[in-house]
Amino acid sequence: MYVAVKGGERAIDNAHRLLADRRRGDRTVPELSLAQISEQLALGVDRVMVEGSLYDRELAALAIKQARGDLIEAIFLLRAFRATLPRFGATEPLDTAAMQVQRRISSTFKDVPGGQILGPTFDYTHRLLDPQLDLGSDPELPERAPVSSEDMPRVTDILGRDGLIEASPQADAEVPVGDLTREPLSFPADRDLRLQNLARGDEGFLLALGYSTQRGYGRSHPFAGEIRFGEVELEFVAEDAGFAVPLGTIAVTECQMVNQFKGSATQPPCFTRGYGLAFGQSERKTMAMALVDRALRARELGEDALAPAQDEEFVLSHSDNVQATGFVEHLKLPHYVDFQSELGLLRRLREEFEQDAGNNGAMQEAAE
Amino acid sequence: MNAPSYNFAYLDEQTKRMIRRAILKAIAIPGYQVPFASREMPMPYGWGTGGVQVTAAILGPSDVLKVIDQGSDDTTNAISIRKFFAKTAGVATTTRTDEASVIQTRHRIPEAPLHEGQVLVYQVPIPEPLRFLEPRETETRRMHALAEYGLMHVKLYEDIAKFGHIATAYAYPVKVAGRYVMDPSPTPKFDNPKMDNCPALQLFGAGREKRIYAVPPYTEVVSLDFEDHPFTRYRQNAPCALCGAEDSYLDEIVTDDKGGRMFVCSDTDYCETRRAEGHFGSANAPETERADV
Amino acid sequence: MKMTNELAAGFADKVVSAQATFRAVMDAMARPGTVQQLNAKLRHAPSPLMPAAAAIALTLFDHDTPIWLDAPLKATSAVTSWLRFHTAAPLTSDTADAAFALLSGVDQIPALDQFALGSNDYPDRSTTLVLQLSSFEAGDAFELQGPGINGRASLHAPLPAELIAQRAALQPLFPRGLDLILVAGDALVAIPRTTQIMPKGAV
């Protein structure tokens, strides 16, 4: 006799129990600590903080551990926690010119005030697997230099002084900065919301889109005007105090792309900007973000918007990996009611097709 | 560490206020999709986050909640959502359609007629009925604003030209109160007539797409069709093998790999209620009767 | 501290009372014309704010909803400071900017088309009017028709003919329009934009 499937609740509980076991893995292997993740998988933690929209290394490390290293799952965990936090307001704009720089490069000038600083980078490493790391490593301590007191002006500011690059499109200080986690996105979206969307956006998606602009799908002739990574101070104006209170410092990466010209009959030609900013050391992310930001400014700059990366609604609607993974993976859920509804329709269409074929055959015979 | 603590029904009060305002507008403008600032929920987008947010915003301590997926109370996602509310809101839960004050559903409308005072909350993946014809929100918004639904009729008519039928078996579009074309969520079109003039309030939540919409009680809901190709319901041509029902939507159960199959009610509560009343089907006829055969 | 002491209290249990009030408003909006009795334990609504209007404010207003007050309410600091403290909603003097408008009575209602009616693209961006009445027993009898109503519903309310006429004039603009929540004491009735109001007996 047929009995309908029951016991889903126990199945779920058992699945979660098994998952917890698999997450732990072989119990003779020491368990990862959050400090180990935060210190030794630091770039993974950075990515989870950026796309999770929450600057908390410890929670990001916890999320990575809980997610068994699945970064999108970790981002999701962090986002779901973030959604329960009260929102006090927005900080003052970061002053990245005052950054305590650990890395700073410009590809547009051989040398710039403050110098080129390579910092901790994979660039110029030869990608040869290092078996030494398996045996445990105790690398040489880094070379140190005294903290420089020299100013490190942003390359775009240097170009800006001569009017060679457009003024940074300034947000109206009177208008509160948008927040797409508090208001549904509508189109066309202002640049503050676009940048927020890109900062939260999937690194892989932005990378592919940025790459596509280089290959001619919305080409913008980009130069990496400057990439800098380091610590910046965060300030918040408390209503009661009436002045800006420092909250501490956070590590961010900023990329300013310098792109080909705009100009008109009344305005001399100048370079245009694409901007990327992310928590931690997130170079690939900020570079891709800057390319896509520039591509999305097509409408504002009077360019044809024909390429995917220039299509605001397309880019902003599909950049979020938590949304994307949820909807792609929801195909795992039971769909048998709608599937069988289609199955019924298909059977009926096929029956009618057979009947028609039969009738036609019969008619043909009669005619012969 | 910043350990989390959670409010009644999970959502914070500010979020509930925002969702509640959207629900009121949705009821006031039947079939219109109200944008709302959907929150990131502790379950994936596409798994009922819209329905869960709507339920969380309306649920009170005296409510009795039923959650179904594919018509069944015992499918994994239904269990998961029911547990979520039992845990975060401490509400009573039931599998009985007639006992529930709030029913959250995915893909089905219960067979038992709903009554006044009940609220049916649908989980919606793609709220925009025109989305498959026009992917751009900017375009579909304009079409709704102008009540310009020609494109939909063209699509349905192309189906007829190609297949002899409207080739939409689920998420079959409806027109609400003579104005807005609305997606009923991916329910089989068998369920569409239940939406019309229904005594219960119907609320629709789409979390990922950030939309809430509604059909008030006793509101006209018409499935789109043509005079020469009127809307028809579809159900498998068989009685339920467990309860013998001839009026319920059926699941097809494949019993072997040689073409063997049977049909049972998709609405498990409906089926169980009928069996408790003494009805039976071919698969579980009482022994005594079987002896008679 | 001093300010809070002078203020009338809000809900005793915020979460439960807000939910109960919302459900009453939702039921009212879903079933136009039905009288919903609030049981939200709110004993100290600052006069002339009626308990139901005050409960609606606590349930639906916050810093995202600009509020417009009519002259008698605006002139009463007990009301404005209570609203500010309990809801943090900004007050606006621009009717077209208001998410909600609180009307202490029927004498000083601005022309309805002064309020936000929403747009055809976004008809939800409209003002919801909360209008205080003396009772749901006095006044003319009306018949209501529209979504949410099984056939016809009846309503007793002292609604000015001018208001009914202005409302009727807005109806061809649907989906743009105004939704009304009528309150009397601790009872409320909702009249969404879809509802047609006719004097009883008229067809």
Side-chain angles (χ1 to χ4, degrees), chain C residues 34-48:
Chain C
T34 58
V35 179
Q36 306 287 328
Q37 206 67 40
L38 283 185
N39 188 22
K41 298 171 189 87
L42 188 78
R43 297 187 197 89
H44 305 290
S47 177

mmCIF file of all heavy atoms in Angstrom, chain C residues 34-48:
data_model
loop_
_atom_site.group_PDB
_atom_site.id
_atom_site.type_symbol
_atom_site.label_atom_id
_atom_site.label_comp_id
_atom_site.label_asym_id
_atom_site.label_seq_id
_atom_site.Cartn_x
_atom_site.Cartn_y
_atom_site.Cartn_z
ATOM 1 N N THR C 34 -16.420 47.738 7.526
ATOM 2 C CA THR C 34 -16.556 47.026 8.798
ATOM 3 C C THR C 34 -15.919 47.841 9.915
ATOM 4 O O THR C 34 -14.858 48.446 9.737
ATOM 5 C CB THR C 34 -15.879 45.643 8.766
ATOM 6 O OG1 THR C 34 -14.496 45.814 8.452
ATOM 7 C CG2 THR C 34 -16.526 44.727 7.744
ATOM 8 N N VAL C 35 -16.598 47.876 11.056
ATOM 9 C CA VAL C 35 -16.081 48.628 12.196
ATOM 10 C C VAL C 35 -15.165 47.718 13.006
ATOM 11 O O VAL C 35 -15.575 46.645 13.459
ATOM 12 C CB VAL C 35 -17.229 49.144 13.085
ATOM 13 C CG1 VAL C 35 -16.668 49.915 14.281
ATOM 14 C CG2 VAL C 35 -18.163 50.025 12.262
ATOM 15 N N GLN C 36 -13.927 48.129 13.158
ATOM 16 C CA GLN C 36 -12.951 47.347 13.925
ATOM 17 C C GLN C 36 -12.744 48.025 15.278
ATOM 18 O O GLN C 36 -12.438 49.208 15.342
ATOM 19 C CB GLN C 36 -11.607 47.291 13.181
ATOM 20 C CG GLN C 36 -11.695 46.788 11.763
ATOM 21 C CD GLN C 36 -11.949 45.292 11.694
ATOM 22 O OE1 GLN C 36 -11.515 44.537 12.552
ATOM 23 N NE2 GLN C 36 -12.667 44.862 10.663
ATOM 24 N N GLN C 37 -12.942 47.242 16.303
ATOM 25 C CA GLN C 37 -12.777 47.772 17.655
ATOM 26 C C GLN C 37 -11.346 47.501 18.115
ATOM 27 O O GLN C 37 -10.913 46.354 18.101
ATOM 28 C CB GLN C 37 -13.773 47.057 18.584
ATOM 29 C CG GLN C 37 -14.164 47.857 19.790
ATOM 30 C CD GLN C 37 -14.976 49.094 19.441
ATOM 31 O OE1 GLN C 37 -15.831 49.041 18.561
ATOM 32 N NE2 GLN C 37 -14.707 50.199 20.114
ATOM 33 N N LEU C 38 -10.625 48.555 18.501
ATOM 34 C CA LEU C 38 -9.252 48.338 18.960
ATOM 35 C C LEU C 38 -9.262 47.980 20.424
ATOM 36 O O LEU C 38 -10.033 48.506 21.210
ATOM 37 C CB LEU C 38 -8.419 49.611 18.786
ATOM 38 C CG LEU C 38 -7.957 49.932 17.378
ATOM 39 C CD1 LEU C 38 -7.049 51.148 17.434
ATOM 40 C CD2 LEU C 38 -7.222 48.756 16.782
ATOM 41 N N ASN C 39 -8.381 47.081 20.757
ATOM 42 C CA ASN C 39 -8.259 46.714 22.159
ATOM 43 C C ASN C 39 -6.829 46.966 22.611
ATOM 44 O O ASN C 39 -6.286 46.268 23.439
ATOM 45 C CB ASN C 39 -8.655 45.242 22.333
ATOM 46 C CG ASN C 39 -8.736 44.873 23.791
ATOM 47 O OD1 ASN C 39 -8.893 45.745 24.642
ATOM 48 N ND2 ASN C 39 -8.597 43.591 24.087
ATOM 49 N N ALA C 40 -6.205 47.957 21.973
ATOM 50 C CA ALA C 40 -4.822 48.271 22.325
ATOM 51 C C ALA C 40 -4.836 49.104 23.595
ATOM 52 O O ALA C 40 -5.438 50.160 23.641
ATOM 53 C CB ALA C 40 -4.170 49.039 21.190
ATOM 54 N N LYS C 41 -4.165 48.614 24.600
ATOM 55 C CA LYS C 41 -4.246 49.272 25.912
ATOM 56 C C LYS C 41 -3.541 50.624 25.881
ATOM 57 O O LYS C 41 -2.392 50.751 26.284
ATOM 58 C CB LYS C 41 -3.643 48.372 26.983
ATOM 59 C CG LYS C 41 -4.396 47.072 27.099
ATOM 60 C CD LYS C 41 -3.666 46.097 27.996
ATOM 61 C CE LYS C 41 -4.299 44.728 27.946
ATOM 62 N NZ LYS C 41 -3.755 43.911 26.855
ATOM 63 N N LEU C 42 -4.254 51.612 25.400
ATOM 64 C CA LEU C 42 -3.683 52.942 25.261
ATOM 65 C C LEU C 42 -4.628 53.906 25.958
ATOM 66 O O LEU C 42 -5.636 54.303 25.418
ATOM 67 C CB LEU C 42 -3.560 53.283 23.768
ATOM 68 C CG LEU C 42 -2.800 54.549 23.456
ATOM 69 C CD1 LEU C 42 -1.303 54.298 23.560
ATOM 70 C CD2 LEU C 42 -3.143 55.050 22.077
ATOM 71 N N ARG C 43 -4.303 54.239 27.182
ATOM 72 C CA ARG C 43 -5.276 55.006 27.987
ATOM 73 C C ARG C 43 -5.012 56.507 27.937
ATOM 74 O O ARG C 43 -5.829 57.293 28.337
ATOM 75 C CB ARG C 43 -5.228 54.522 29.440
ATOM 76 C CG ARG C 43 -5.643 53.068 29.572
ATOM 77 C CD ARG C 43 -5.758 52.657 31.026
ATOM 78 N NE ARG C 43 -5.754 51.211 31.124
ATOM 79 C CZ ARG C 43 -4.657 50.478 31.237
ATOM 80 N NH1 ARG C 43 -3.476 51.068 31.310
ATOM 81 N NH2 ARG C 43 -4.733 49.165 31.307
ATOM 82 N N HIS C 44 -3.856 56.862 27.435
ATOM 83 C CA HIS C 44 -3.492 58.274 27.598
ATOM 84 C C HIS C 44 -3.201 58.970 26.281
ATOM 85 O O HIS C 44 -2.213 59.669 26.160
ATOM 86 C CB HIS C 44 -2.272 58.397 28.511
ATOM 87 C CG HIS C 44 -2.454 57.726 29.825
ATOM 88 N ND1 HIS C 44 -3.310 58.215 30.777
ATOM 89 C CD2 HIS C 44 -1.916 56.599 30.321
ATOM 90 C CE1 HIS C 44 -3.293 57.404 31.831
ATOM 91 N NE2 HIS C 44 -2.452 56.412 31.576
ATOM 92 N N ALA C 45 -4.042 58.768 25.271
ATOM 93 C CA ALA C 45 -3.830 59.505 24.027
ATOM 94 C C ALA C 45 -3.990 60.994 24.334
ATOM 95 O O ALA C 45 -4.924 61.394 25.006
ATOM 96 C CB ALA C 45 -4.843 59.071 22.992
ATOM 97 N N PRO C 46 -3.049 61.819 23.889
ATOM 98 C CA PRO C 46 -3.153 63.254 24.198
ATOM 99 C C PRO C 46 -4.313 63.883 23.431
ATOM 100 O O PRO C 46 -4.379 63.791 22.211
ATOM 101 C CB PRO C 46 -1.799 63.798 23.742
ATOM 102 C CG PRO C 46 -1.316 62.830 22.712
ATOM 103 C CD PRO C 46 -1.880 61.489 23.063
ATOM 104 N N SER C 47 -5.231 64.494 24.144
ATOM 105 C CA SER C 47 -6.381 65.156 23.534
ATOM 106 C C SER C 47 -5.880 66.254 22.592
ATOM 107 O O SER C 47 -4.877 66.900 22.895
ATOM 108 C CB SER C 47 -7.231 65.754 24.653
ATOM 109 O OG SER C 47 -8.307 66.443 24.106
ATOM 110 N N PRO C 48 -6.520 66.488 21.446
ATOM 111 C CA PRO C 48 -7.746 65.857 20.952
ATOM 112 C C PRO C 48 -7.518 64.606 20.117
ATOM 113 O O PRO C 48 -8.393 64.226 19.349
ATOM 114 C CB PRO C 48 -8.347 66.969 20.094
ATOM 115 C CG PRO C 48 -7.165 67.686 19.529
ATOM 116 C CD PRO C 48 -6.086 67.604 20.584
#
